[in-house]
Amino acid sequence: MLRLFEEYTKNGKITEALLAGRNLFNRNPGDEKIFSAYFSYLCTLAETLPAFADRKNFAEQANVALAFYSENAMLTKEFVEGFSIYQQRLNVILENIKKTTMERMAEEQEKAESLNTESLKKLFALKDSMQGKITQEKFDEILVQIGKLDDVIEKDAFTEEQASLYESLTKDVSELIGVKMRQLEHGKNIDYNKQAAQAFASAFEKFRKEEGKYKNQAQLFSLVSTTLFAFDASRLFNETLIYYNHVYSYIFSRLDDDGKLALTRYAIECERKQR
């Protein structure tokens, strides 16, 4: 069986060699010759394989094998001296793996810090881009970019300085977003009120020119449904509402009782524009 293991190792058949070696060692956990061959092979893999994850895996297997061997071998002076040699070799391997792990962690930390710095710079630039007058489309685009940036920032890798800057930036950005949302909404409401005032003026002018025509309820509905009652009163400024009341009162005062009832019903039933 040992000869089969040695044949596989000599021919570079790692999977087969590991299967044979593991099986042989598990059946003979106290045999120094078998252990030595299997342990040495695991250490060689841990020292020479190109993939770091593989080296680490085989170092862990060697460590388990050494512990298993120490529990099952006959305790003699020769065993103690030999065990020390095995342990020293494994310690060197484990120390190298630990060193490599620490170096990689440092590299990853440095890379993460660098990427975070770039992301924070971009976040700062986006904050600046919201300072002036911007459109709703531009504002929405900036919000998407801010969301994407926040997703890629590795907050666990922040330096103390980066953490402080991020906290300050996110506070400023949140406040600025609130301001811009109110500004944009106010701008929309201004446009909305301009449209409403123009529609009310149109209704007033048309009714005054052809008052008799609008005694007909169908004609009256056609007029007020697209002008006077087409706007949501909750979005109208006080000045706009004052003008609305003036036009409404004028039209209402010129109608007979049936017309007044119809106008009231239209005021309740007509669908309002949202934009």
Side-chain angles (χ1 to χ4, degrees):
M1 189 71 171
L2 187 56
R3 185 179 301 173
L4 180 62
F5 169 72
E6 292 171 343
E7 180 182 337
Y8 285 141
T9 58
K10 182 179 179 181
N11 294 327
K13 296 183 177 182
I14 296 177
T15 302
E16 292 82 353
L18 288 171
L19 178 62
R22 189 181 303 113
N23 183 274
L24 187 61
F25 175 60
N26 286 338
R27 289 174 178 273
N28 306 275
D31 189 303
E32 196 274 337
K33 187 175 181 179
I34 292 174
F35 166 74
S36 179
Y38 180 56
F39 178 79
S40 178
Y41 186 60
L42 290 174
C43 287
T44 298
L45 293 175
E47 292 167 334
T48 61
L49 287 178
F52 177 71
D54 290 337
R55 296 204 307 274
K56 185 177 180 181
N57 177 45
F58 288 119
E60 292 170 353
Q61 290 189 41
N63 196 27
V64 171
L66 183 60
F68 192 45
Y69 172 64
S70 69
E71 295 170 357
N72 289 276
M74 183 70 68
L75 185 60
T76 63
K77 183 178 179 180
E78 290 76 13
F79 163 78
V80 174
E81 292 175 352
F83 183 85
S84 178
I85 294 173
Y86 297 136
Q87 185 68 67
Q88 288 176 16
R89 182 181 182 186
L90 182 58
N91 285 345
V92 171
I93 295 171
L94 292 174
E95 187 61 32
N96 286 335
I97 289 175
K98 180 181 178 181
K99 180 181 178 182
T100 301
T101 300
M102 295 299 292
E103 289 174 349
R104 293 191 173 195
M105 287 177 63
E107 289 175 1
E108 290 175 0
Q109 176 67 22
E110 184 178 352
K111 182 180 178 181
E113 288 178 10
S114 178
L115 290 174
N116 282 342
T117 296
E118 291 303 312
S119 295
L120 289 172
K121 287 180 180 178
K122 291 177 182 178
L123 186 59
F124 191 85
L126 287 172
K127 186 191 80 168
D128 278 353
S129 69
M130 285 194 290
Q131 297 291 349
K133 185 176 181 180
I134 58 175
T135 64
Q136 181 69 52
E137 291 74 19
K138 182 63 177 178
F139 180 66
D140 292 340
E141 180 185 329
I142 291 173
L143 292 184
V144 170
Q145 292 181 54
I146 289 175
K148 289 181 178 178
L149 267 180
D150 200 59
D151 286 341
V152 301
I153 289 176
E154 294 187 41
K155 301 175 183 64
D156 292 339
F158 272 159
T159 63
E160 186 175 339
E161 182 181 1
Q162 287 176 335
S164 176
L165 179 59
Y166 176 78
E167 182 179 355
S168 175
L169 266 176
T170 50
K171 180 182 177 182
D172 291 346
V173 167
S174 296
E175 291 176 354
L176 187 55
I177 287 173
V179 170
K180 286 301 171 183
M181 288 179 68
R182 289 191 292 273
Q183 288 178 352
L184 288 168
E185 188 61 29
H186 183 67
K188 291 177 185 176
N189 282 337
I190 288 176
D191 291 338
Y192 191 81
N193 277 261
K194 286 180 177 178
Q195 293 176 33
Q198 186 175 355
F200 301 160
S202 175
F204 190 36
E205 182 180 354
K206 288 180 179 179
F207 187 86
R208 284 202 308 170
K209 282 184 177 180
E210 299 183 87
E211 185 176 317
K213 172 183 176 181
Y214 296 110
K215 303 294 183 179
N216 179 285
Q217 292 186 14
Q219 293 294 333
L220 179 65
F221 176 80
S222 178
L223 174 68
V224 299
S225 64
T226 57
T227 55
L228 199 61
F229 302 145
F231 296 86
D232 184 354
S234 67
R235 292 188 59 186
L236 299 181
F237 301 149
N238 286 336
E239 296 79 3
T240 314
L241 286 171
I242 290 171
Y243 184 59
Y244 164 84
N245 288 331
H246 169 66
V247 175
Y248 178 86
S249 297
Y250 179 85
I251 295 175
F252 188 84
S253 67
R254 297 298 193 276
L255 299 174
D256 59 20
D257 289 344
D258 289 339
K260 287 181 171 62
L261 178 60
L263 187 66
T264 302
R265 189 173 72 250
Y266 300 154
I268 296 170
E269 296 175 351
C270 284
E271 183 178 353
R272 267 58 173 177
K273 295 179 181 178
Q274 298 303 311
R275 288 288 182 268

